[in-house]
Amino acid sequence: MRFHCWLMRFMHCLMMMYYWFMRFMHCLMMMYYWFMRFMHCLMRMYYWLMRIMHCLMMMYYWFMRFMHWLMMMYYWLMRFMHCLMMMYYWFMRFMHCPLMMFYWFMRFMHCLMMMYYWLMRFMHCLLMMYYWLMRFMHWLMMMYYWLMRFMHWLMMMYYWLMRFHYWIMRFMHWLMRMYYWFMRFMHCLMMMYYWFMRFMHCLMRMYYWLMRFMHRLMMMYYWFMRFMHWLMMMYYWFMRFMH
């Protein structure tokens, strides 16, 4: 019995050693397994990085060949353009004087056009002010018209009622006085409107003759431009023919 007990204890010890050895080895193998998976991932990343870099370098290589070709084309184009520019340069030295005369004439005409443009804007502003004044005055006159109808109706009432009662007469007398002073005020407004209209009529006539004068100037400028354009076209086709 004693021998059997020690044998069991010994076998149990061996099995425990074997058990913990297996657990330890399993741990090592798992570490190796995940390490291999990680390294495989890194190598695949490296592999695709190399493929991408190779693609980029090939693109760079053909891009450089293309750019070299473009630069050669640019170089010969520049030589050709230099020749044209020299021809153009000597031509411009000759043409500079008539062009400067034309340039300063254009600046002067532009100045005139701008003066005309701002005059038109100012006159448009005046006309709009006149237009809204007319609308306002029309509204006032309509108010005056309906007030007159109303006052006429009151006077008719006054006419039929004034013989009936003293206090009604006093009240209507007060209304008449209000009407009287209102009429004096409206008369003042109408006189202001009348003289304003006379003034605006004067301005409109000045504007009308100014427009006629400006139209004549613009027609002169227009036919002059057509003539200059015709001259330049003659010059242009003459240059082409001479070339």
Side-chain angles (χ1 to χ4, degrees):
M1 285 295 291
R2 190 175 297 163
F3 175 74
H4 181 264
C5 177
W6 288 104
L7 179 60
M8 290 300 104
R9 290 177 70 175
F10 176 67
M11 291 301 287
H12 183 267
C13 176
L14 288 180
M15 283 188 287
M16 288 298 104
M17 289 166 66
Y18 176 73
Y19 170 72
W20 290 107
F21 178 72
M22 288 298 104
R23 286 189 67 170
F24 175 67
M25 290 303 286
H26 183 267
C27 177
L28 290 180
M29 285 188 285
M30 289 298 104
M31 289 164 66
Y32 176 72
Y33 170 72
W34 289 105
F35 178 72
M36 287 299 104
R37 287 191 66 170
F38 175 66
M39 291 301 288
H40 183 265
C41 177
L42 289 180
M43 285 188 282
R44 297 309 293 172
M45 289 164 65
Y46 176 73
Y47 169 71
W48 288 105
L49 176 66
M50 289 301 103
R51 287 189 67 169
I52 290 165
M53 292 302 288
H54 183 266
C55 176
L56 291 177
M57 285 189 282
M58 289 299 105
M59 288 163 67
Y60 177 73
Y61 169 71
W62 289 105
F63 178 72
M64 288 299 105
R65 290 189 64 172
F66 176 67
M67 290 303 287
H68 183 265
W69 175 71
L70 286 181
M71 285 189 282
M72 289 300 105
M73 287 172 68
Y74 176 74
Y75 170 72
W76 290 106
L77 176 67
M78 287 303 102
R79 290 188 65 169
F80 174 66
M81 291 301 287
H82 184 265
C83 175
L84 292 181
M85 289 302 112
M86 290 299 106
M87 292 162 66
Y88 176 76
Y89 170 73
W90 291 105
F91 176 71
M92 283 302 103
R93 286 188 67 170
F94 170 69
M95 284 302 291
H96 186 264
C97 178
L99 290 174
M100 286 300 104
M101 291 164 66
F102 179 72
Y103 169 72
W104 289 105
F105 176 74
M106 288 300 101
R107 287 191 66 170
F108 173 68
M109 290 306 289
H110 182 265
C111 177
L112 291 180
M113 293 300 106
M114 288 299 104
M115 289 163 66
Y116 175 73
Y117 169 72
W118 290 105
L119 175 66
M120 290 304 99
R121 289 190 65 170
F122 174 68
M123 292 305 289
H124 183 264
C125 177
L126 290 180
L127 291 173
M128 288 300 104
M129 289 163 66
Y130 174 74
Y131 168 73
W132 289 104
L133 177 67
M134 290 304 98
R135 290 189 64 169
F136 175 67
M137 292 304 288
H138 181 265
W139 177 72
L140 287 180
M141 286 187 281
M142 289 300 104
M143 289 171 66
Y144 174 75
Y145 168 74
W146 291 104
L147 179 66
M148 290 302 99
R149 292 188 63 171
F150 175 67
M151 292 303 288
H152 182 265
W153 176 73
L154 289 180
M155 284 188 286
M156 291 299 103
M157 288 174 66
Y158 175 73
Y159 171 75
W160 293 108
L161 293 174
M162 65 181 181
R163 69 194 73 175
F164 298 130
H165 201 281
Y166 170 73
W167 292 106
I168 294 174
M169 290 175 63
R170 289 194 60 177
F171 171 68
M172 294 305 287
H173 183 259
W174 174 73
L175 287 179
M176 290 302 103
R177 288 180 62 84
M178 288 172 65
Y179 173 73
Y180 170 73
W181 288 106
F182 178 75
M183 288 302 99
R184 291 189 63 172
F185 173 67
M186 289 303 289
H187 183 267
C188 177
L189 288 181
M190 292 301 109
M191 289 298 103
M192 290 164 66
Y193 173 73
Y194 170 73
W195 288 107
F196 177 75
M197 287 304 99
R198 292 190 63 171
F199 173 66
M200 289 304 289
H201 184 263
C202 177
L203 288 182
M204 291 304 106
R205 301 303 296 172
M206 290 165 66
Y207 174 73
Y208 168 73
W209 289 105
L210 175 67
M211 289 307 98
R212 290 190 60 172
F213 174 66
M214 292 302 289
H215 183 264
R216 280 171 175 75
L217 286 183
M218 267 179 298
M219 289 298 105
M220 290 163 66
Y221 172 72
Y222 169 73
W223 290 105
F224 178 74
M225 287 300 100
R226 289 190 62 169
F227 175 65
M228 290 300 289
H229 183 265
W230 176 74
L231 287 181
M232 285 189 282
M233 289 298 103
M234 289 175 65
Y235 175 73
Y236 168 74
W237 293 106
F238 176 72
M239 287 298 104
R240 287 190 64 174
F241 173 72
M242 292 301 289
H243 179 71

